[in-house]
Amino acid sequence: MAVFDPRVTPARADLAAKHLEGKVSAARFVEGRVMEVIEPQAPLRREPRPDAPLDTEALKGERVTVYDSNAEGFSWGQLAADNYVGWLPSNALAPAGPAPTHKVAALRTFAFPGPSIKLPPLEALPLGATLAIARTADRLAITSGGAYVPGMHLRPVGAYEPDFVAVAERFLGAPYLWGGKTALGLDCSGLVQVALAACGVACPRDSDMQEAALGVPLADRKDLKRGDLVFWKGHVAIMCDANNIVHANAFHMAVAIEPVEGAIARISTAGSEVTAIKRITAPAS
């Protein structure tokens, strides 16, 4: 049997996706059912426990193929956007509704229960969350479920930002959170993924996956420019100009901008050297 990355392969010893039959070993194979994330963000964990480490987050409107659910309130499945596999709270999922038409383009926005921004909000939605908008009225977009969202905070799902570095820079000061993907907290690879997704560039979740999949390698740090990615083992940063990086990092416990050479020296002292520098070449689609 071939070896597959368990982070993006819906396979366990006892159960696997039906499409993997003959490719992986499992006690049984099942067809999944497509569900939709209905919470602003839902934690995805490697194990079905609320105290298990956070691997990533799924955002509202994201599709998830669910292969298993347990009595403790967790569902095991695979995210459609980046193929990540893990356990999500079952109450954060529902059968997939209408296809999303719009996405949140602000760092955060609110959904209200009626046509007034003075009403107590139903929820706060993060950048990248997707919604099915049924109609608009008085600068408010009304979702298929009847929530009201400021229209100026939304863009059609096919509209993309022109500069992923500018998207990343909007998170400046957001706290560092391992596995996070929103302005409430995010990690280094989450920042890269969210910023690139806003520009229509498909991006894997973890930094080692990003190093393998994104861009073309650069041999010389003297050629660095805005938008290049600098990788270490377990870390990634974005060049915001020829000399400075923006990255979510545990040293500052926040998204911060700092000189790249200073960061390289500090991280080297901690035992990790630069493993690659990559230049993003894929255009928004």
Side-chain angles (χ1 to χ4, degrees):
M1 293 290 181
V3 176
F4 294 90
D5 188 335
R7 295 172 294 180
V8 291
T9 308
R12 311 185 317 228
D14 63 320
L15 180 148
K18 183 71 174 177
H19 67 83
L20 292 173
E21 192 165 7
K23 300 177 182 178
V24 301
S25 297
R28 62 190 180 98
F29 295 86
V30 300
E31 296 285 358
R33 63 190 188 281
V34 178
M35 306 289 280
E36 176 183 349
V37 177
I38 57 172
E39 295 294 323
Q41 65 254 19
L44 183 146
R45 306 181 191 277
R46 190 61 50 88
E47 299 175 17
R49 306 190 330 265
D51 61 345
L54 180 67
D55 277 353
T56 188
E57 292 178 310
L59 305 184
K60 188 179 183 75
E62 192 165 348
R63 270 37 182 181
V64 184
T65 302
V66 172
Y67 296 99
D68 188 24
S69 297
N70 65 22
E72 286 72 46
F74 287 91
S75 291
W76 183 74
Q78 184 171 35
L79 306 183
D82 60 14
N83 295 321
Y84 222 95
V85 174
W87 292 90
L88 296 137
S90 297
N91 60 9
L93 305 173
T101 61
H102 289 72
K103 59 187 176 183
V104 175
L107 274 186
R108 297 193 76 77
T109 192
F110 291 108
F112 298 93
S116 172
I117 60 173
K118 295 180 181 180
L119 294 171
L122 297 169
E123 58 189 5
L125 302 172
L127 180 104
T130 53
L131 305 166
I133 299 301
R135 58 191 177 92
T136 59
D138 296 327
R139 302 177 70 200
L140 292 171
I142 305 161
T143 71
S144 59
Y148 291 72
V149 181
M152 65 185 63
H153 290 168
L154 303 179
R155 299 288 184 274
V157 292
Y160 299 117
E161 298 279 353
D163 181 358
F164 86 95
V165 184
V167 177
E169 289 170 335
R170 289 163 60 189
F171 284 89
L172 190 64
Y176 180 84
L177 175 67
W178 181 275
K181 285 180 56 174
T182 79
L184 290 178
L186 71 174
D187 61 14
C188 64
S189 55
L191 179 65
V192 171
Q193 187 185 51
V194 168
L196 284 173
C199 297
V201 179
C203 178
R205 178 57 179 90
D206 294 342
S207 61
D208 64 318
M209 299 174 176
Q210 293 170 355
E211 181 177 345
L214 295 175
V216 296
L218 296 180
D220 194 336
R221 293 212 299 267
K222 295 179 182 177
D223 296 329
L224 284 169
K225 70 175 186 177
R226 182 177 177 87
D228 290 342
L229 301 178
V230 182
F231 289 93
W232 295 259
K233 181 177 174 58
H235 189 59
V236 59
I238 305 166
M239 297 300 301
C240 48
D241 57 39
N243 301 304
N244 297 287
I245 55 173
V246 56
H247 59 152
N249 66 94
F251 179 78
H252 296 96
M253 283 306 296
V255 176
I257 291 176
E258 64 174 316
V260 64
E261 292 300 334
I264 288 172
R266 182 182 71 247
I267 297 171
S268 175
T269 299
S272 183
E273 302 295 335
V274 171
T275 55
I277 300 169
K278 305 293 284 288
R279 178 157 293 166
I280 300 296
T281 57
S285 58

